[in-house]
Amino acid sequence: MENQKTKEELNKEVVVRWFTHFWGETVDLSIVDEIASPGMLLKYSLHEPRNGREDIKAFMMDFRAAFPDLNFWGTADLIAEGDYVVGQWEGGGTHTGGAFSDFLAGSLPASTGKKMHFTGTTVLKVVDGKIVEEIGLDDGVTALTQLGLLKTI
């Protein structure tokens, strides 16, 4: 009898694909239709929450237009329990694209050339092979300071 993968192992595989193809160096937005639930919630402290596949795709297209070299990668083994997968990551990019107004703390004019590099932890809920929510806690203070949207004393 073959060893069957556990629910947690299968959920980790979904998250690895998401991190690689949505957040990784080369985006493939078809991954959204493939493994995001139709009403998926994407929520990070730097941005307004996004709901649904089209909203999530629009978010990433705008983010990558402003930061063409955007890239995030895992920094530790994923942890899974039940429907939840937790991942630690780091990443960032250089603002060489157009103006960007998606940060809650303010907007960037076109092509500032400023770099952001920061870390975070994300909790994803996976049900029946589809991501239903991705809620992340990121070091937004670092990113916003690097981009000049948050001033330090």
Side-chain angles (χ1 to χ4, degrees):
M1 186 170 171
E2 286 184 41
N3 286 343
Q4 291 207 337
K5 292 182 180 180
T6 66
K7 174 177 160 177
E8 287 82 4
E9 289 170 326
L10 293 170
N11 287 347
K12 281 184 186 181
E13 288 177 0
V14 169
V15 169
V16 165
R17 291 184 62 222
W18 182 255
F19 281 175
T20 301
H21 298 291
F22 186 75
W23 289 110
E25 189 173 7
T26 308
V27 68
D28 177 0
L29 289 178
S30 69
I31 199 74
V32 177
D33 293 322
E34 190 179 336
I35 63 176
S37 72
M40 180 184 164
L41 169 66
L42 177 71
K43 185 176 179 184
Y44 283 89
S45 66
L46 289 172
H47 312 276
E48 287 284 348
R50 299 304 185 114
N51 290 282
R53 291 175 177 160
E54 295 311 309
D55 195 23
I56 289 169
K57 284 190 247 182
F59 158 76
M60 186 52 74
M61 286 188 297
D62 290 347
F63 206 3
R64 290 194 184 257
F67 295 85
D69 64 347
L70 191 70
N71 185 18
F72 294 93
W73 56 90
T75 59
D77 291 340
L78 295 173
I79 301 166
E81 182 70 34
D83 291 338
Y84 293 93
V85 179
V86 179
Q88 293 177 292
W89 51 265
E90 71 176 282
T94 308
H95 180 232
T96 57
F100 187 67
S101 60
D102 196 68
F103 291 124
L104 291 174
S107 299
L108 294 171
S111 301
T112 64
K114 293 182 179 178
K115 295 179 186 294
M116 63 176 180
H117 184 94
F118 61 111
T119 60
T121 301
T122 299
V123 179
L124 298 100
K125 184 175 183 182
V126 182
V127 177
D128 297 326
K130 301 283 187 196
I131 300 170
V132 296
E133 64 184 27
E134 174 178 358
I135 299 177
L137 181 60
D138 51 53
D139 184 10
V141 169
T142 295
L144 294 172
T145 302
Q146 292 167 343
L147 295 171
L149 294 173
L150 193 64
K151 303 292 182 222
T152 56
I153 298 174

